[in-house]
Amino acid sequence: MTIDVRERVLALSSWHHDWSGLRVAVLGLGVTGFSVADTLVELGSRVRVIFAGEDPEREQLLRVIGAEQARIAGDEAQLADLEAFDPDLVVVSPGYRPDHPLTEWAIARGTVVWGDIELGWRLRDKTDRVADWICVTGTNGKTTTSQLTAHMLLAGGLRAAPVGNIGVPILDALRDPQGYDALVVELSSFQLERLGEISPYASVCLNIADDHLDWHGSAEAYRAAKAKVYAHTQVACVYNRADAATERMVEEADVVEGARAISFGLDAPPPSGFGIVDGLLIDRGFHAERRSSAYELVTIEELQERHLGAPHLVQNILAAAALARSRGVEPEEIATAILNFELDAHRAQHLGVLDGVTWIDDSKATNGHAAAASLRALERVVWVVGGLLKGTDIGELVEPHAERLRGAVVIGAEREAVLAAFAEHAPGVAVSEIVPEGSDFDVARAAVDAAAALADEGDTVLFAPAAASMDQFTDYADRGRRFQAALRALAEGR
């Protein structure tokens, strides 16, 4: 690649610059990859999408919009295709590791490599209504916090939407002809790895626990990626007082002069914080007399009535309130938004009570940190656990929660490690192992039946697997849907 071409690409920082004729290779044809291809074709670039898995619907759409495509299995064959295309720019979907052969080849030859978030930042000015970006990351709670924040911004009269890792590609939102006042950008550690030079209006890292270490290579690299969320923040860096790592991230961040550090936590807050006093969620961060006064938001009792009272959900609410308040949403508007907010399916979702037993679907708990948050919120639990553990030490979950466990149902491909953890740390807890019997075996129904047999009146069955789902299900949502369907079948049978 010539220096002139590289400099031309790096100078592209607006929708209204000349992107025509640019040779762009897009790696991956998921929802993100297609949004990148669609956007760049609209801008007049020559786009070639390189991917492995068959996707008939998106492949047809690529043909319709006029993008080239190369469905090729194997890194060597894909690399040969990439070399032949000779791109000026490579845009990488989030799932590609930093050491992937295709991105390493591009970087070694001097080709510019971006993720969709950096591309989106450069294209954010398609309309005159240029949105402020409010960026959200953390090991757990990202989606709920992003949805809550957008919900609060809407209650404050702003045109806002949650985008990014939440499932709506940021480029799709940026091409909306009406524009937005604010976009709440949920960022995975994969997206943060290739964040680029963006400047959020406000930002938060909700919490940190080891996750995706196989992808990042180490806990240090994972945390370094998460810390990027605070870089160049303009107004408010929101952090978790109970998680010292997030406070250090803020202290070490290079932010815009004047940006404030705003904390949240379940304790009484300092003057620049959000927290709880006498059962009230309060805002001391944005009160003019915050050293002596605070705004009251909602009560813990009101949250409990709406199944939002679990400690980790309260933390998400406080973080979202801090972000929304930084953008000017009034306390009473925040309160209204909180009290009419409903959680997404499979996120600590209360399914009801059957024969005196409460059932909760938290299939989104795909790691130990998330499952621990749900366990801490309950007293008498029959826990449905297991799947692909991703290195999670289940013993570290079982030991501190052993006294509240009334039983456990173990599912998934890595059952032996889970069973060993219970034998070591909770030998008195009744454990039921679900062993698949044939290809058409209904794991979810067997798990529900086993949990119902273990649970007594007053117990809660918690479906929080602390593991990924792809061993026995399509994804966490499929796992949750099957669990709920099995519970409905049980209720109908009763």
Side-chain angles (χ1 to χ4, degrees):
M1 165 169 286
T2 67
I3 294 175
D4 289 345
V5 171
R6 180 178 173 84
E7 289 181 349
R8 180 203 167 190
V9 174
L10 292 174
L12 294 169
S13 58
S14 168
W15 182 277
H16 307 290
H17 287 170
D18 182 12
W19 297 76
S20 62
L22 200 69
R23 301 167 64 88
V24 185
V26 178
L27 305 186
L29 184 58
V31 63
T32 298
F34 180 79
S35 73
V36 170
D38 194 22
T39 300
L40 289 167
V41 167
E42 182 179 345
L43 287 164
S45 299
R46 179 184 170 187
V47 178
R48 186 170 182 83
V49 184
I50 302 172
F51 57 100
E54 187 175 357
D55 190 336
E57 184 176 348
R58 290 199 181 102
E59 290 174 49
Q60 174 61 25
L61 288 172
L62 288 179
R63 288 189 283 270
V64 170
I65 66 174
E68 301 174 24
Q69 56 185 291
R71 173 156 52 88
I72 306 171
D75 292 343
E76 287 189 15
Q78 288 190 354
L79 182 55
D81 188 85
L82 183 63
E83 290 176 341
F85 182 61
D86 189 26
D88 305 320
L89 167 66
V90 175
V91 183
V92 187
S93 296
Y96 282 71
R97 291 166 51 129
D99 60 354
H100 193 281
L102 272 66
T103 57
E104 286 191 329
W105 171 85
I107 292 168
R109 74 190 291 269
T111 304
V112 179
V113 178
W114 292 337
D116 67 308
I117 301 300
E118 179 166 7
L119 178 62
W121 181 256
R122 291 169 180 266
L123 297 175
R124 68 191 187 280
D125 63 346
K126 182 179 183 182
T127 71
D128 292 335
R129 194 180 194 177
V130 180
D132 294 318
W133 286 24
I134 296 175
C135 293
V136 178
T137 195
T139 301
N140 292 300
K142 298 184 292 294
T143 296
T144 298
T145 302
S146 297
Q147 291 174 329
L148 271 163
T149 304
H151 192 57
M152 293 171 182
L153 294 170
L154 290 167
L158 301 174
R159 189 164 197 263
V163 299
N165 189 59
I166 202 167
V168 178
I170 193 164
L171 289 163
D172 288 357
L174 292 169
R175 288 184 290 159
D176 187 312
Q178 295 183 59
Y180 286 91
D181 300 310
L183 293 174
V184 185
V185 187
E186 180 186 322
L187 295 170
S188 70
S189 59
F190 304 163
Q191 290 169 311
L192 285 161
E193 188 71 45
R194 296 188 179 92
L195 186 64
E197 296 289 328
I198 78 168
S199 181
Y201 182 90
S203 54
V204 65
C205 182
L206 298 165
N207 44 60
I208 284 289
D210 290 348
D211 199 13
H212 302 301
L213 303 191
D214 55 341
W215 196 93
H216 289 279
S218 68
E220 292 74 21
Y222 173 69
R223 290 168 187 252
K226 289 293 191 184
K228 291 181 181 181
V229 75
Y230 292 117
H232 313 300
T233 296
Q234 300 171 24
V235 173
C237 295
V238 178
Y239 69 93
N240 184 343
R241 285 195 301 276
D243 193 326
T246 68
E247 184 172 10
R248 285 195 300 273
M249 290 176 184
V250 173
E251 291 170 347
E252 296 169 1
D254 181 12
V255 302
V256 174
E257 185 175 354
R260 294 177 56 206
I262 305 292
S263 69
F264 68 90
L266 301 178
D267 54 348
S272 287
F274 285 64
I276 301 174
V277 175
D278 295 332
L280 280 167
L281 274 65
I282 65 170
D283 160 19
R284 290 187 71 187
F286 293 96
H287 198 293
E289 306 297 330
R290 55 183 172 271
R291 297 198 174 276
S292 57
S293 301
Y295 293 113
E296 297 180 0
L297 300 176
V298 295
T299 68
I300 291 293
E301 184 178 358
E302 288 173 315
L303 296 181
Q304 290 171 339
E305 290 173 355
R306 291 160 177 79
H307 304 302
L308 297 173
H312 63 292
L313 294 177
V314 177
Q315 287 184 320
N316 294 342
I317 290 166
L318 290 165
L323 294 169
R325 289 285 289 129
S326 77
R327 189 55 178 77
V329 181
E330 295 298 329
E332 58 272 20
E333 295 167 333
I334 297 280
T336 298
I338 294 170
L339 296 179
N340 63 31
F341 179 78
E342 293 186 6
L343 289 170
D344 266 3
H346 320 304
R347 290 174 169 84
Q349 182 182 0
H350 281 248
L351 304 180
V353 178
L354 180 63
D355 296 338
V357 176
T358 300
W359 293 75
I360 295 177
D361 171 10
D362 198 18
S363 181
K364 185 63 172 66
T366 59
N367 57 49
H369 188 267
S374 287
L375 286 166
R376 280 194 296 269
L378 303 168
E379 292 300 324
R380 294 169 50 187
V381 183
V382 174
W383 182 21
V384 183
V385 56
L388 296 176
L389 299 178
K390 300 187 298 181
T392 295
D393 182 353
I394 292 294
E396 294 180 356
L397 288 175
V398 174
E399 186 174 19
H401 300 291
E403 291 187 359
R404 71 184 71 216
L405 296 176
R406 295 295 178 264
V409 178
V410 179
I411 64 172
E414 299 182 35
R415 297 188 303 279
E416 288 187 10
V418 181
L419 293 168
F422 278 98
E424 179 178 357
H425 299 292
V429 173
V431 177
S432 179
E433 179 186 5
I434 305 302
V435 181
E437 301 172 359
S439 58
D440 59 348
F441 184 78
D442 190 338
V443 174
R445 181 58 195 265
V448 164
D449 288 346
L454 290 172
D456 292 326
E457 185 174 351
D459 290 346
T460 296
V461 174
L462 174 65
F463 186 57
S469 56
M470 286 76 75
D471 54 338
Q472 295 178 324
F473 306 91
T474 304
D475 51 26
Y476 81 84
D478 175 56
R479 181 170 64 184
R481 284 192 295 268
R482 291 174 183 266
F483 177 76
Q484 293 191 24
L487 179 60
R488 287 194 296 272
L490 176 68
E492 291 166 3
R494 292 276 173 93

